Amino acid sequence: MRVLYPEIEPYDHGMLPVGDGNALYWEECGNPEGKPVVFLHGGPGGGTLPRHRRLFDPRRYRIVLFDQRGCGRSTPHGSTPEADLAVNTTWHLVADLERLREARGIEKWQMLGGSWGCVLALAYAEMYPDRVSELVLRGVATLRRKEVQWLYGGGAACLFPEAWSRFLAPVPYASRGADLIEVYHELLHHPDPDVHRPAAQAWSRWEGETVKFTPHAGVVDAFAEPEFALAIARIENHYFRHGGWLAEDQLLREAGKLAGIPCVLVQGRYDVVTPPTTAWELAQVLPGAELHLIGDAGHAFDEPGILHELIGTTDRFARV
């Protein structure tokens, strides 16, 4: 069973101004002369972590990580009043990615994205197919309404009723039959911290409680950390309210643009956050895609079967 590569530190890092008052944190590690790869974190609003560097062979890859607008070490942080979500959309992030590629002098890069990072990778690759060498997608999502409603409309609640009750706790009883994404929008942007902070923690905790095949207390606690929770809850809710600024089925309908780009889909069979239906449907329309359904895994990238397949894929693509 493959495991993460050893811990590694960046050999370069910095802040990239991308307009609208935003600056992105970026870093590079591994081999400066190696095959370029960019890691796209989830959320939206999650941020990168040191263990994300370890998905790639540092001898063979030039590994680029960055924090998307509003999260991680990018500024302004989504938990602050200075963060303007009006200039934080899918297409802003696609433009940021292209600006980062140009700034780092990379002609073509491999993309590895999971969950929301999968959506961003597909949106970028369909706009700039000639800039992508390979796609590695985990926890496959396309941000269709049915996908969002599964997680925030009561579908996943059937499997996690006790966690769902905690998600509903900040919602007034009379509003629980309404569109919860809209209800949460009001809660998350309420001026009183005694309203928006518990709402943010409840929103983020729901994801933390469903992301692993077997719930992990440390993961739940990390999702409930107040500053992280406020940023990810506000940014996710903002994106989900607007359908990611994508036409319904857009990423599936335009998958033909990716013909000729090797693509591997790694999907947990028991993924509650992004169920396997989307990975299956994408594999049917994405030319030449490999689909690997991992039978004993949920959503998280570091579950053993998913990690084994991801690293096996990046190792294989490193030889191309």
Side-chain angles (χ1 to χ4, degrees):
M1 187 69 70
R2 297 180 182 90
V3 297
L4 290 170
Y5 279 97
E7 292 183 9
I8 186 173
E9 293 297 321
Y11 60 75
D12 199 3
H13 69 279
M15 300 294 292
L16 176 68
V18 291
D20 310 309
N22 284 271
L24 305 187
Y25 171 83
W26 61 268
E27 64 180 44
E28 290 193 24
C29 55
N31 179 358
E33 304 301 321
K35 182 184 181 78
V37 60
V38 62
F39 176 83
L40 306 180
H41 66 69
T48 57
L49 297 169
R51 66 176 184 270
H52 294 147
R53 305 165 185 157
R54 301 167 59 195
L55 286 163
F56 313 96
D57 185 342
R59 298 166 300 174
R60 297 190 287 178
Y61 275 105
R62 177 184 175 186
I63 306 159
V64 181
L65 276 68
F66 76 104
D67 292 330
Q68 297 158 27
R69 292 190 182 207
C71 56
R73 288 156 287 187
S74 293
T75 58
H77 195 261
S79 63
T80 65
E82 294 77 25
D84 180 7
L85 295 185
V87 292
N88 191 333
T89 72
T90 301
W91 304 112
H92 284 93
L93 299 190
V94 167
D96 291 349
L97 254 175
E98 182 63 359
R99 190 175 284 112
L100 176 62
R101 182 194 65 78
E102 292 175 345
R104 302 311 304 150
I106 294 170
E107 181 179 354
K108 210 171 196 179
W109 51 10
Q110 181 186 131
M111 311 192 88
L112 190 154
S115 194
W116 158 253
C118 169
V119 179
L120 181 56
L122 287 169
Y124 177 92
E126 289 177 3
M127 181 170 283
Y128 299 105
D130 58 332
R131 299 304 184 192
V132 179
S133 58
E134 300 95 10
L135 284 168
V136 184
L137 307 178
R138 185 272 312 162
V140 178
T142 61
L143 219 62
R144 293 173 293 177
R145 181 162 180 80
K146 70 177 184 180
E147 298 172 35
V148 176
Q149 284 302 308
W150 159 259
L151 190 58
Y152 295 99
C158 296
L159 299 175
F160 291 88
E162 71 283 24
W164 184 249
S165 70
R166 289 187 281 272
F167 176 75
L168 290 178
V171 178
Y173 188 81
S175 300
R176 293 184 182 183
D179 184 334
L180 292 174
I181 291 176
E182 291 297 329
V183 174
Y184 256 97
H185 173 71
E186 298 300 323
L187 294 172
L188 292 169
H189 293 277
H190 194 284
D192 186 349
D194 289 338
V195 175
H196 66 240
R197 287 195 176 277
Q201 288 177 293
W203 175 286
S204 186
R205 182 187 175 97
W206 165 242
E207 188 170 346
E209 291 193 286
T210 55
V211 74
K212 300 282 282 186
F213 183 57
T214 302
H216 189 283
V219 172
V220 175
D221 290 345
F223 272 85
E225 191 279 321
E227 186 177 82
F228 174 86
L230 189 55
I232 197 170
R234 283 179 170 171
I235 295 172
E236 284 185 342
N237 180 271
H238 171 62
Y239 273 71
F240 298 162
R241 287 183 73 231
H242 292 92
W245 298 269
L246 297 160
E248 192 70 4
D249 292 323
Q250 178 176 337
L251 297 179
L252 293 171
R253 285 188 285 102
E254 298 188 5
K257 295 178 178 179
L258 307 178
I261 300 175
C263 180
V264 173
L265 312 177
V266 181
Q267 177 67 43
R269 170 73 72 181
Y270 300 105
D271 185 337
V272 173
V273 176
T274 59
T277 302
T278 300
W280 174 260
E281 292 172 349
L282 181 60
Q284 308 314 302
V285 297
L286 208 165
E290 298 176 29
L291 172 59
H292 299 273
L293 281 170
I294 311 303
D296 57 350
H299 184 68
F301 87 93
D302 55 359
E303 296 190 13
I306 291 178
L307 190 59
H308 176 80
E309 202 62 56
L310 288 176
I311 293 179
T313 298
T314 60
D315 283 352
R316 171 159 53 98
F317 283 157
R319 297 191 291 269
V320 178

